[in-house]
Amino acid sequence: MEKTQLVRDWRGRDYLVGDTPRDLINRPRSWMFWLPWAAMASIGAMQYGYAAAVPALAQARGWPLASALAPLAVWIVCQAAVALPTVLLLRRGALGIRVALWAGAPLSAAALLTVALARDLPAVFAGYALLGGVGAGLVYGSCTEAVARWYPERPAARVGFTTGAFAYGTAPLAVVAVLEEGATVTGPDGGALRPLFVVAAVVALAAVGLAAAFVRLPPPHWWPAHIDPRAWADDRVALRREPRAVRQFSLGQALRTGSLPTLVSILVCAGAVSIFDVVALATSGGFSPWAAVALLLVLNGAGRACAMLAAEVTGRGRTLSAVLALLCLGQLLLAWGTVTGSAVMILVATVPAGLGGGAFYPLIASLVREYFGEKHTASIHGVVYSAKAVAGLVGVALAALALTSSGHAAAFFLAAGLVLAAVALSATLRQPGHPVTLPR
């Protein structure tokens, strides 16, 4: 085993170099990527799977559609409230990643079983919304932290790919759920809904449990031995991939810059529309809504990885604006397709809506690091990510509007207005810390 040493680059960042993944965990670090990826794919059914299944669940169990949406809003609030505190506790060593994942596995499985078996909404609120939200937050926070720590040379791209699994891993379940809503459903079982969510619960328990058995965190500041950290810190390509902040901002300093409230506002607007689109397409009726939902979720996940690759060339700020513009275009085309009754237009509109509907999450996370530095990233990003709770409430409210007499078109136009506001806000983003004027 090589002797470990702490190396510092010209910006003052520390790197612990020497130990290889074989030395630390006796296996390649790719295990620390694919196991969290699989765990994230398995728990996505709780968000996007439930959203797509809302019409079928309401039809099968006699719930009002608006009431069936309410547990989803509570789940999003709980998941967002738990995910970032989990990261903070992991970084401080106050929580072990095995404990977090072992707790998240049964909670996630119990949530999906509740959706499969519960007939009363209070039980769904308790088992799915509350316990499931906590379990998903533990798994989400643990998996993203593990991937970021094991791939410090490209954390944004790797985490973006991992969180993408949260969306496209749900596509098969969502397709069956939307097909079920179009069928004649009798009795509390809801046709295929019960076995569908039971299988999802078993998969979640197995995938998250497997991650709990093998995933470990490297030591603080760990750096892969095959990459020279000082050369990496000076490399132009690396600087384009992972731009450095001007200085390390505390949470209070970040809040005073104006950039942090802007990022929060962007996430609220775009996050609300991302949730809304799944429910709206699942309840749109007409020709093949299952195809639109499946395409939306696959592109939602794939768009996250593609956006991070594009950001390495064009910059994160420009890529964020482009992603939000795509999402806005998708809403306008969806409204047009709804008004004209064109199934082809709805499918076409799903492409920009899907590509833009998830890519902003990893872009915003990487902008936090780029703007405010690595030292306080967890607490600052915690403020940003907590906005997902507000986004969930707004998204569910939009979905409820789409189910009223106002119809889907009005909701899509309102969603386009929200994203347009996010586009305008993204144009004002600047890396803080630079002088406002040049000295004379």
Side-chain angles (χ1 to χ4, degrees):
M1 180 186 299
E2 299 181 35
K3 183 179 179 181
T4 60
Q5 56 178 330
L6 194 64
V7 177
R8 180 168 293 177
D9 67 15
W10 61 281
R11 283 188 179 268
R13 178 177 174 178
D14 293 326
Y15 307 82
L16 187 66
V17 184
D19 287 333
T20 67
R22 288 283 183 185
D23 297 327
L24 296 171
I25 57 174
N26 198 31
R27 52 183 55 90
R29 66 172 175 164
S30 58
W31 283 54
M32 303 299 106
F33 175 76
W34 289 111
L35 287 174
W37 180 91
M40 290 286 280
S42 71
I43 67 167
M46 283 188 280
Q47 177 169 311
Y48 295 110
Y50 184 93
V54 161
L57 287 169
Q59 179 183 352
R61 297 173 188 181
W63 301 340
L65 277 170
S67 299
L69 281 169
L72 175 63
V74 176
W75 182 92
I76 294 172
V77 170
C78 292
Q79 188 265 338
V82 171
L84 265 297
T86 299
V87 173
L88 288 171
L89 292 173
L90 288 171
R91 292 191 178 182
R92 294 173 182 173
L95 176 67
I97 193 166
R98 294 185 68 187
V99 174
L101 290 171
W102 279 127
L107 288 174
S108 300
L112 292 165
L113 283 176
T114 300
V115 177
L117 304 176
R119 303 182 184 183
D120 300 321
L121 276 171
V124 176
F125 273 107
Y128 161 71
L130 297 178
L131 294 181
V134 171
L138 288 168
V139 177
Y140 193 102
S142 299
C143 291
T144 54
E145 178 67 3
V147 171
R149 291 268 291 272
W150 280 106
Y151 289 87
E153 74 277 20
R154 295 188 71 183
R158 290 285 181 166
V159 171
F161 190 86
T162 304
T163 58
F166 194 65
Y168 53 68
T170 313
L173 185 150
V175 167
V176 178
V178 176
L179 286 172
E180 191 66 21
E181 191 269 337
T184 302
V185 182
T186 58
D189 292 352
L193 284 179
R194 173 172 287 184
L196 183 71
F197 278 96
V198 169
V199 170
V202 173
V203 170
L205 184 64
V208 180
L210 192 64
F214 291 101
V215 172
R216 303 290 184 272
L217 292 177
H221 308 298
W222 178 83
W223 187 261
H226 67 281
I227 300 175
D228 183 344
R230 286 174 175 163
W232 177 86
D234 291 333
D235 184 71
R236 291 184 179 181
V237 175
L239 286 171
R240 187 169 63 246
R241 288 175 175 171
E242 300 295 332
R244 312 293 192 271
V246 174
R247 59 186 175 88
Q248 302 294 320
F249 289 78
S250 67
L251 177 57
Q253 292 170 335
L255 285 169
R256 289 193 293 271
T257 63
S259 297
L260 185 56
T262 300
L263 289 172
V264 169
S265 301
I266 290 172
L267 193 144
V268 169
C269 295
V273 175
S274 180
I275 295 295
F276 158 72
D277 279 348
V278 180
V279 181
L281 287 175
T283 58
S284 62
F287 174 72
S288 300
W290 63 268
V293 171
L295 184 61
L296 181 80
L297 292 177
V298 169
L299 293 176
N300 185 297
R304 303 183 190 216
C306 294
M308 296 313 300
L309 294 175
E312 294 176 356
V313 177
T314 63
R316 286 164 171 74
R318 292 178 180 176
T319 306
L320 178 62
S321 296
V323 161
L324 293 172
L326 277 176
L327 183 59
C328 183
L329 174 63
Q331 306 314 300
L332 294 173
L333 293 178
L334 284 168
W336 184 12
T338 302
V339 171
T340 60
S342 171
V344 173
M345 178 55 66
I346 288 176
L347 284 175
V348 170
T350 302
V351 175
L355 289 174
F360 59 87
Y361 281 115
L363 285 169
I364 290 175
S366 60
L367 279 172
V368 168
R369 185 184 297 269
E370 177 182 335
Y371 282 3
F372 309 114
E374 298 86 6
K375 187 174 181 181
H376 303 287
T377 296
S379 58
I380 297 172
H381 186 231
V383 172
V384 177
Y385 192 78
S386 63
K388 183 182 177 181
V390 180
L393 296 175
V394 177
V396 168
L398 278 174
L401 173 64
L403 300 174
T404 65
S405 57
S406 299
H408 285 68
F412 280 127
F413 279 121
L414 184 56
L418 279 176
V419 186
L420 187 61
V423 173
L425 287 171
S426 70
T428 68
L429 286 171
R430 298 290 184 275
Q431 187 181 50
H434 295 287
V436 178
T437 58
L438 293 176
R440 293 183 180 273

